[in-house]
Amino acid sequence: PGGLPSGSSGKTLLMLSGGIDSPVAGYQIMRRGCSMDAVHFDAAPYTAPEAREKVEKLAEMLAGYQKGMTLHVVPFGSVQAELRDHAPGRMLVVLYRRMMLRCAAVIADRAGALAVVTGDNIGQVASQTLENMTVIGQATGMTILRPLLTYDKMDVVDLARKIGTYETSILPYEDCCSLFVPPHPETAAELQRVLDIEHEIDIDALVARAVSESECVTFGEPEGR
């Protein structure tokens, strides 16, 4: 609606959480003609099954704006537990996000997507300061699209209501973004400090395991099927 034909601008992969922002970010990219699959990082058994069900419902809503969609569900709770056990608490949010981006980049490449889409918004949460977004983004060479970067939160809420995702997004089920989060997370991470921590962890093995154990849920007729 009010945009370009679906699929006319290439394929993307949306990092879809259960919150308000990411479905709206996906919708905005779809309006520019990009077709889209999605990836969700599931923290089961640390989170309730309803958290995943909520995300699947959001993916189904977004799929209605194109021919269909594949939702890749990556088991991430064990990855977060591994990082929690081997890294300083203040750094965990940055490390989580870098791991998510690495997994998303692998899935995007396999799906033929040219970019990863996030719901990042400057300064909204600890991982979204300019310093942290810079360090997080350097975990992958894939293009990252952040269509909501400068949006006011109420503008995002209004768009969520417009596209029908708001009521589902506010259902009270926690996702991986709230798992093992320290009370005072780092807001100005330094890349070398992060790299030193990751050097002590088998990052490649964690990514490979998480991606290999991922599941696919399809809605409609996803591209290429």
Side-chain angles (χ1 to χ4, degrees):
L4 301 176
S6 178
S8 63
S9 299
K11 187 173 183 178
T12 59
L13 180 74
L14 171 67
M15 294 176 67
L16 182 62
S17 73
I20 297 171
D21 296 337
S22 56
V24 174
Y27 174 81
Q28 292 293 75
I29 292 296
M30 292 166 77
R31 288 185 68 209
R32 302 313 304 157
C34 294
S35 62
M36 181 173 291
D37 281 347
V39 59
H40 174 65
F41 295 91
D42 184 15
Y46 302 103
T47 53
E50 289 85 355
R52 172 170 170 169
E53 292 169 7
K54 179 170 79 165
V55 171
E56 290 182 359
K57 185 173 181 180
L58 291 169
E60 186 174 16
M61 291 177 181
L62 291 174
Y65 289 101
Q66 55 183 22
K67 290 183 177 180
M69 176 181 289
T70 296
L71 172 66
H72 302 265
V73 181
V74 177
F76 203 66
S78 62
V79 174
Q80 290 182 266
E82 181 82 10
L83 294 172
R84 176 202 59 188
D85 293 342
H86 294 89
R90 286 181 60 87
M91 304 300 295
L92 286 177
V93 172
V94 171
L95 294 170
Y96 294 161
R97 293 287 291 180
R98 282 171 62 89
M99 288 295 292
M100 289 178 190
L101 265 181
R102 290 186 179 102
C103 293
V106 172
I107 291 170
D109 185 62
R110 293 179 181 179
L114 300 177
V116 172
V117 180
T118 80
D120 289 344
N121 181 286
I122 295 176
Q124 182 167 263
V125 293
S127 65
Q128 296 173 15
T129 63
L130 281 179
E131 294 90 343
N132 282 358
M133 283 192 290
T134 298
V135 170
I136 290 166
Q138 290 179 359
T140 177
M142 178 160 283
T143 299
I144 303 170
L145 303 179
R146 300 180 174 97
L148 305 185
L149 205 61
T150 63
Y151 278 43
D152 180 83
K153 186 66 176 185
M154 293 312 301
D155 293 334
V156 179
V157 168
D158 289 343
L159 277 168
R161 292 183 186 278
K162 176 182 176 181
I163 66 175
T165 57
Y166 179 76
E167 295 300 329
T168 299
S169 290
I170 63 172
L171 292 174
Y173 302 118
E174 294 185 339
D175 59 20
C176 70
C177 296
S178 57
L179 183 64
F180 307 142
V181 174
H184 302 290
E186 181 62 61
T187 57
E190 297 179 359
L191 180 60
Q192 189 56 55
R193 171 63 170 151
V194 172
L195 293 175
D196 289 343
I197 295 170
E198 291 181 340
H199 183 70
E200 303 299 321
I201 304 168
D202 194 341
I203 296 295
D204 291 341
L206 287 177
V207 171
R209 185 184 73 197
V211 172
S212 69
E213 294 176 353
S214 64
E215 305 174 43
C216 291
V217 183
T218 58
F219 303 96
E221 299 179 5
E223 186 178 50
R225 289 176 179 261

